[in-house]
């Protein structure tokens, strides 16, 4: 399965830490030699910080009720030692150690991209309709602009939502905000044809580790192979 990944997002959600703004600067200060940073909602209880690695194309976002890791593509070292996940989980360990930390509630793994297919747009759309639809209602003189499927799964302890359909670049890139982290401009999709997908896996959890996110990644990859 050949794919072009536009965005990967991981989240750890937890009970709101009301004094988070008093602690997060101490937590992230050892990492500022590795990342650019941006603070938002300053001097409010919702103050947050984002750590940017623009050269590698990812950032880590710390908020009072969650942490996010967002990558603009599928980095080769995503799960490797000293890769994005390493920093993400090390910072979460420090958040967990706060006296005001209560409990973790949810893990999330999400990915947006294109399963690459040969052929022009009309052929890809025709093949998709033939595979998933017995008949598509089409009024006289109407032009089909877009079509897709949405399937919700429960797979053991994970809930997975999958959306897929022929790739419509101008719409999909804009609607899903698939901008480059390095330049904050839309990502390059020239020459990309196939089936666009959004896949989101969540599971309730009171703790997390690298293996847990790898398992969610595998669940999503296995489903995408069936499209």
């Amino acid at each position: 399965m050949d794919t072009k990944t536009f965005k990967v997002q991981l989240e750890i959600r937890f009970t709101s830490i009301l004094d988070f703004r008093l602690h997060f600067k101490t937590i992230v200060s050892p990492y500022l030699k590795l990342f650019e940073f941006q603070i938002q909602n300053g001097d409010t209880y919702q103050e947050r910080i984002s750590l940017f690695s623009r050269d590698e194309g990812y950032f880590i976002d710390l908020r009072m009720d969650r942490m996010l890791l967002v990558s603009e593509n599928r980095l080769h070292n995503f799960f490797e030692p000293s890769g994005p996940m390493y920093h993400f989980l090390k910072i979460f360990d420090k958040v967990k150690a706060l006296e005001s930390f209560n409990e973790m509630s949810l893990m999330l793994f999400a990915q947006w991209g294109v399963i690459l297919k040969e052929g022009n747009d009309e052929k890809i759309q025709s093949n998709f309709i033939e595979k998933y639809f017995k008949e598509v209602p089409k009024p006289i003189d109407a032009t089909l602009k877009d079509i897709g499927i949405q399937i919700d799964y429960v797979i053991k302890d994970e809930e997975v939502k999958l959306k897929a359909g022929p790739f419509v670049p101008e719409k999909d890139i804009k609607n899903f905000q698939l901008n480059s982290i390095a330049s904050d401009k839309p990502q390059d999709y020239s020459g990309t044809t196939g089936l666009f997908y959004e896949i989101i896996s969540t599971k309730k959890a009171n703790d997390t580790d690298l293996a847990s996110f790898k398992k969610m990644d595998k669940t999503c990859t296995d489903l995408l192979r069936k499209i």
Side-chain angles (χ1 to χ4, degrees):
M1 178 183 68
D2 293 327
T3 64
K4 179 179 178 62
T5 304
F6 287 118
K7 181 179 175 183
V8 180
Q9 180 168 317
L10 284 66
E11 290 188 31
I12 300 172
R13 299 182 187 177
F14 41 82
T15 307
S16 293
I17 303 172
L18 295 182
D19 63 349
F20 181 72
R21 62 180 293 267
L22 303 178
H23 303 290
F24 74 81
K25 294 173 186 174
T26 301
I27 289 173
V28 303
S29 60
Y31 296 90
L32 297 186
K33 60 186 177 183
L34 303 174
F35 296 95
E36 299 176 31
F37 72 93
Q38 181 180 4
I39 295 175
Q40 300 181 51
N41 303 327
D43 297 324
T44 72
Y45 74 95
Q46 291 183 324
E47 191 169 354
R48 52 186 270 210
I49 187 168
S50 299
L51 305 175
F52 292 89
S53 178
R54 297 192 190 277
D55 289 342
E56 293 192 66
Y58 76 91
F59 69 88
I60 297 171
D61 196 64
L62 283 77
R63 308 180 188 183
M64 65 182 294
D65 63 349
R66 70 192 64 191
M67 281 183 57
L68 294 82
L69 169 60
V70 181
S71 170
E72 71 179 47
N73 51 49
R74 186 56 182 255
L75 301 174
H76 70 280
N77 66 336
F78 201 82
F79 289 110
E80 299 300 320
S82 299
M85 279 296 298
Y86 174 83
H87 299 304
F88 181 65
L89 292 175
K90 282 292 184 183
I91 293 172
F92 179 61
D93 284 342
K94 293 186 176 184
V95 172
K96 248 190 337 184
L98 293 174
E99 187 176 343
S100 50
F101 182 86
N102 189 354
E103 63 180 2
M104 181 180 152
S105 58
L106 189 77
M107 295 171 57
L108 179 147
F109 180 94
Q111 189 165 288
W112 294 261
V114 175
I115 299 171
L116 302 177
K117 304 284 186 181
E118 294 183 356
N120 58 33
D121 293 345
E122 290 77 11
K123 180 63 175 175
I124 291 171
Q125 185 183 84
S126 174
N127 289 343
F128 183 80
I129 291 172
E130 183 178 340
K131 181 174 182 178
Y132 290 104
F133 297 90
K134 184 176 180 180
E135 183 179 356
V136 176
K138 187 177 178 182
I140 297 174
D141 296 329
T143 300
L144 186 63
K145 291 184 63 177
D146 197 8
I147 192 168
I149 57 171
Q150 177 173 330
I151 308 173
D152 295 354
Y153 302 88
V154 175
I155 304 173
K156 296 183 178 179
D157 58 350
E158 297 179 49
E159 294 187 11
V160 184
K161 296 182 181 294
L162 170 64
K163 296 179 181 179
F167 183 40
V168 183
E170 295 80 4
K171 176 183 73 70
D172 293 329
I173 295 292
K174 179 180 179 181
N175 288 354
F176 293 96
Q177 300 179 349
L178 303 176
N179 285 357
S180 167
I181 290 170
S183 65
D184 199 32
K185 295 180 181 178
Q187 292 193 45
D188 180 24
Y189 54 80
S190 56
T192 303
T193 59
L195 301 179
F196 182 81
Y197 67 84
E198 174 192 66
I199 189 164
I200 302 174
S201 172
T202 60
K203 77 172 188 175
K204 296 179 180 179
N206 53 24
D207 203 358
T208 188
D209 56 18
L210 188 63
S212 299
F213 277 112
K214 280 186 173 181
K215 180 176 176 293
M216 298 173 81
D217 176 31
K218 184 178 185 303
T219 298
C220 292
T221 300
D222 289 346
L223 279 176
L224 290 174
R225 293 184 189 279
K226 301 180 186 299
I227 296 179

